[in-house]
Amino acid sequence: MINVFQPALGAEELDAVRQVFESNWPGKGDVTDRFEAAFAKHLGTDRALVRSANSCTEGLFLAVPLLGLGPGDEVILPSISFVGAANAIVASGARAVFCDVDRASLNCTAAAIEACITDRTKAVLILHYGGVPCDMEAIGELVRQHRLLLIEDNACSVASLFRGAACGTFGDVSVWSFDSMKALVTGDGGMIRCRTPELATRAEHLLYLGLGNKSGLRNIVETRWWEFEVTCCGRRGILNDIASAIGIEQLRKLPRFLARRKQIHEFYDRELSPASWLKCPPPVPDHSTSSYYMYWIRARTDRRDRLAARLRQDGIYTTFRYFPLHRVPFYGADERLPHAEQAADETLCLPLHPSLSDEDLEHVVTSIRRFDPGV
Ligand SMILES: Cc1ncc(COP(=O)(O)O)c(C=O)c1O
């Protein structure tokens, strides 16, 4: 089966894990510290603003209360978002308000967000769909104007740039995912970047039981180092050195991964654009750099569904990310969001990851070319 997403792990990651085994400390330690520093450097941001977490979902659940959001507040997010983003908002007691997306890019726009602003709106939680940055100029201006907080979900955009600045450096709190389907994989894992060192320190406390002082030998006091202070009701959302050792190696390989992802993207564009019954994704704007996390095509609903089934029979797995949350009854939304709905009815994400061989890619495009779209 050709997978839609897949990690690319190799001997370097295995060797890094072996070294962690030899150190006999697989928990959070120096390797995680090094991974956080390397990730901050990758973003071009101050290391003091960055903390690791055991998942991006944990980061989302932390971001909402970290910014003081809760009952009575409204947080706007695109309906085409990861389910954990809405769950994090709802779990805090705040209301998730779903906005529409751009018809072609599936990113939320400043205009769509603005249409949802009320006097209870406190924050916006955006997603850079497929790795292509949202228009951060317009969204930045809007959140400044309305004094809203901004959370960035960068699960798709680990290496994306908007006008040269890394996605994730615009928000008050930003989160990344390193789960096994992402462009950078640690098994499970995540990263958080906060606007200020104070917020990052508070995030650190929330990630480790609310403890305000270091435990064990890292505690600098010389007597009764077993005593502790609790600053808040934190959970235990920390990353460990096994995952971080993998992350350091994956970060080194990231430019290579991205080059291959871009190549695959261009291959699909070239091979599929002649087919008149489907649409390729819009080009990445000149001022942006994509992480090429997803390649999505659009086709009439009946064709899209039949094509997905046909490809599956041919050993090619496809999917649609992300089913619009305003259509999920649990969230109790009654908005009509035509672009998000149309996207859900017409979009299909094709396999895109660095482990795809040229033969795999030929197989995908040949299967699509052989598909009979009917009338
Ligand atoms: C856009 C988006 N945000 C957040 C997440 C959550 O990431 P994690 O699996 O690290 O919790 C995912 C995972 O699929 C995602 O796709």
Side-chain angles (χ1 to χ4, degrees), residues 9 12-21 23 25-27 29-36 184-186 239-252:
L9 299 165
E12 296 79 6
E13 286 82 354
L14 205 54
D15 192 47
V17 170
R18 189 181 52 75
Q19 288 176 39
V20 174
F21 271 49
S23 78
W25 183 252
D30 293 341
V31 182
T32 301
D33 191 46
R34 288 212 312 273
F35 182 37
E36 289 176 352
L184 189 162
V185 168
T186 63
L239 197 64
N240 63 57
D241 276 13
I242 296 177
S244 297
I246 299 172
I248 290 171
E249 296 308 318
Q250 289 269 295
L251 200 51
R252 283 201 188 107

Side-chain angles (χ1 to χ4, degrees), residues 54-60 81-85 127-128 153-156 175-182 188-190 293 321-322:
N54 58 15
S55 71
C56 182
T57 302
E58 181 62 27
L60 288 163
S81 285
F82 180 63
V83 59
L127 165 72
H128 303 287
D153 179 343
N154 299 284
C156 306
V175 292
W176 286 261
S177 170
F178 309 134
D179 76 25
S180 296
M181 289 181 288
K182 297 301 180 291
D188 272 312
Y293 179 56
R321 291 280 169 101
Y322 298 89

Side-chain angles (χ1 to χ4, degrees), residues 199-314:
L199 265 185
T201 301
R202 179 139 174 97
E204 187 175 326
H205 294 177
L206 283 165
L207 285 164
Y208 197 70
L209 304 165
L211 294 182
N213 49 1
K214 303 269 185 229
S215 62
L217 283 171
R218 285 166 189 259
N219 192 335
I220 49 164
V221 298
E222 284 175 10
T223 57
R224 297 192 188 181
W225 47 85
W226 49 84
E227 294 184 4
F228 53 83
E229 57 168 326
V230 174
T231 63
C232 54
C233 288
R235 294 193 288 253
R236 197 172 184 288
I238 53 173
L239 197 64
N240 63 57
D241 276 13
I242 296 177
S244 297
I246 299 172
I248 290 171
E249 296 308 318
Q250 289 269 295
L251 200 51
R252 283 201 188 107
K253 295 179 181 179
L254 194 56
R256 224 189 316 145
F257 290 164
L258 289 167
R260 179 64 177 154
R261 283 179 172 277
K262 184 164 191 269
Q263 211 176 39
I264 295 170
H265 212 274
E266 288 167 354
F267 173 81
Y268 281 146
D269 269 352
R270 200 170 52 243
E271 299 298 320
L272 299 179
S273 52
S276 59
W277 57 273
L278 64 78
K279 267 204 201 91
C280 295
V284 178
D286 283 345
H287 56 259
S288 289
T289 303
S290 177
S291 297
Y292 298 101
Y293 179 56
M294 297 197 288
Y295 189 91
W296 66 98
I297 57 170
R298 302 278 291 257
R300 219 173 60 197
T301 311
D302 58 317
R303 289 172 172 163
R304 190 275 309 261
D305 292 349
R306 278 195 300 112
L307 175 67
R310 174 74 248 171
L311 292 175
R312 199 168 157 159
Q313 280 165 11
D314 289 349

